[in-house]
Amino acid sequence: MHKTEKTKLLNFIMIKKQDEVLILNRHDKFKGYTFPGGHVEANESFVQSVKREAKEETGLDIVDIELVGTCQYQEQDYRRVILCYQAKASTTKLLSSSEGEVFFAKLSDLDINKYASGFKELLELCINPNYSELVFETLPNEENQTHYY
């Protein structure tokens, strides 16, 4: 018999413009540089959720949406699954939100010390074509382990 588990679905969106990417500088509990994204709502397709989150957090409409990988980690009573996408902006007017300020930048120009927790690993998943999955795993009596597949 197969055992099912509760799952929370999220998305993470790398929005590209020429040689720059859109950065969200968050000010909440996930403080620091990251990409926009959020929860997939009930009865919402994954792509619809990506478009909605991009619009809510950046003011941008996006096109050429491509799934580039998945990330997962276990919470106490459920698994979190993050669907990682790349996309392009089809509009140009940036609007920051309550999530934080947004701006375009070259990744090489960003201060790694300002990255939000987990951003470095998710970024690697988004830009490295050799990976399609990232797993954050906590082992008993050990530090967190990160596995790319």
Side-chain angles (χ1 to χ4, degrees):
M1 179 176 207
H2 294 283
K3 206 173 179 186
T4 61
E5 64 184 330
K6 292 181 181 178
T7 305
K8 289 193 178 184
L9 298 170
L10 299 101
N11 58 52
F12 186 74
I13 317 150
M14 180 180 184
I15 302 172
K16 299 194 284 184
K17 181 178 85 171
Q18 285 113 15
D19 61 344
E20 296 181 320
V21 294
L22 186 131
I23 299 297
L24 171 62
N25 187 13
R26 295 184 71 116
H27 300 294
D28 57 10
K29 66 181 179 178
F30 305 108
K31 186 175 183 162
Y33 294 160
T34 190
F35 292 144
H39 289 87
V40 177
E41 295 181 358
N43 301 313
E44 183 177 47
S45 79
F46 299 145
V47 170
Q48 286 173 326
S49 74
V50 169
K51 289 179 177 181
R52 177 186 51 75
E53 287 288 348
K55 186 71 166 182
E56 287 175 2
E57 295 183 8
T58 71
L60 297 175
D61 293 317
I62 57 174
V63 294
D64 299 335
I65 300 164
E66 178 185 0
L67 179 66
V68 294
T70 61
C71 173
Q72 60 178 301
Y73 57 96
Q74 194 67 40
E75 293 281 349
Q76 280 190 335
D77 58 345
Y78 61 91
R79 182 192 310 216
R80 256 185 216 267
V81 177
I82 304 170
L83 305 167
C84 300
Y85 290 86
Q86 286 186 8
K88 293 179 184 170
S90 65
T91 55
T92 58
K93 187 174 180 183
L94 279 178
L95 297 172
S96 294
S97 71
S98 61
E99 302 284 339
E101 289 86 32
V102 290
F103 58 93
F104 279 97
K106 291 182 180 181
L107 288 170
S108 59
D109 292 342
L110 295 176
D111 181 351
I112 194 169
N113 296 312
K114 293 184 179 179
Y115 283 7
S117 176
F119 180 63
K120 179 181 173 191
E121 293 83 1
L122 283 163
L123 175 60
E124 181 67 21
L125 177 65
C126 287
I127 64 175
N128 191 328
N130 295 316
Y131 302 136
S132 63
E133 183 177 8
L134 167 61
V135 178
F136 290 110
E137 182 178 0
T138 304
L139 302 174
N141 304 316
E142 294 185 31
E143 291 187 27
N144 289 333
Q145 300 290 313
T146 303
H147 303 280
Y148 292 96
Y149 298 98

